[in-house]
Amino acid sequence: HNCAILDNSSIKCWGINSAGQLGIGSTDDRGDGANEMGDNLPSIALGTGRTATAIAAGGAHSCAILDNSALKCWGKNDAGQLGLGDTNSRGDGANEMGANLETVDLGTGRTAKAIAANRVATCAILDNSSIKCWGKNDRGQLGQGNTNSLGDAGSEMGDNLDTVDLGSGRTATAIAGGGWHNCAILDNSSIKCWGIN
């Protein structure tokens, strides 16, 4: 699937929608039939008065940074890739988006300034330029030095979610997600990657 931020800062997504990754309250694919695009393609409800500043599309989930620097994710959540402390998909049924969609807890006082989604996990650069990742971790794609998934149970997010160790004094300026791996550009313009290899 694909998502775009429009010139009015709204979001539209199209393509496969097996787990609600298009955020339209159903599992109907969009863009594969007549009269499904353009004005007929609904914008994603982000909450009253909320708009988007960044978007990332993963394997079967999507995440957006909102104009207030909060982060919302929707779609497939079998490994906690939405970061909501459970494994319930969002966006595939009525009344799951907009104000009903919880924001991702990134920690006390922390907000997101960049987002990346890979096939089964999500990573964010926080306002302090550290990185946190959550979701499936079978190949080390969360950068925690283990293979434990995070974000799929209570008390795994927020202050309990450790940052990725980028090296002594190092911070991130950009992040990208691949199939089962992530890469970051560091403040010294070097690159570090973790996950499947």
Side-chain angles (χ1 to χ4, degrees):
H1 71 292
N2 298 292
C3 294
I5 298 177
L6 307 187
D7 59 330
N8 64 358
S9 299
S10 67
I11 296 175
K12 290 189 176 188
C13 298
W14 60 95
I16 196 168
N17 193 30
S18 57
Q21 58 264 48
L22 303 187
I24 56 174
S26 74
T27 56
D28 298 331
D29 296 347
R30 294 294 172 103
D32 60 345
N35 301 314
E36 291 184 345
M37 296 298 291
D39 292 337
N40 295 319
L41 183 65
S43 296
I44 293 173
L46 298 172
T48 304
R50 293 279 68 95
T51 57
T53 61
I55 184 84
H61 73 290
S62 307
C63 294
I65 299 175
L66 306 186
D67 59 304
N68 62 357
S69 298
L71 179 63
K72 288 191 174 188
C73 297
W74 59 92
K76 191 171 184 175
N77 193 33
D78 60 328
Q81 56 266 53
L82 302 187
L84 299 175
D86 59 38
T87 56
N88 302 321
S89 294
R90 308 291 201 293
D92 57 348
N95 302 314
E96 293 181 344
M97 297 297 292
N100 294 323
L101 182 62
E102 305 159 63
T103 58
V104 177
D105 182 359
L106 298 171
T108 305
R110 295 278 69 96
T111 58
K113 64 179 185 179
I115 186 76
N118 66 33
R119 190 165 180 82
V120 292
T122 309
C123 293
I125 298 179
L126 306 186
D127 58 298
N128 63 359
S129 299
S130 66
I131 294 176
K132 287 189 175 185
C133 299
W134 57 92
K136 194 167 187 174
N137 194 31
D138 58 330
R139 303 309 288 265
Q141 55 265 50
L142 302 187
Q144 295 296 320
N146 59 48
T147 56
N148 303 323
S149 293
L150 296 169
D152 57 346
S155 301
E156 291 182 344
M157 295 297 293
D159 293 334
N160 295 320
L161 182 62
D162 289 332
T163 58
V164 176
D165 183 358
L166 299 172
S168 181
R170 293 277 68 93
T171 58
T173 61
I175 187 142
W180 284 268
H181 72 288
N182 301 290
C183 292
I185 299 175
L186 305 188
D187 59 307
N188 62 358
S189 299
S190 66
I191 296 176
K192 288 191 174 182
C193 300
W194 56 96
I196 196 169
N197 193 32

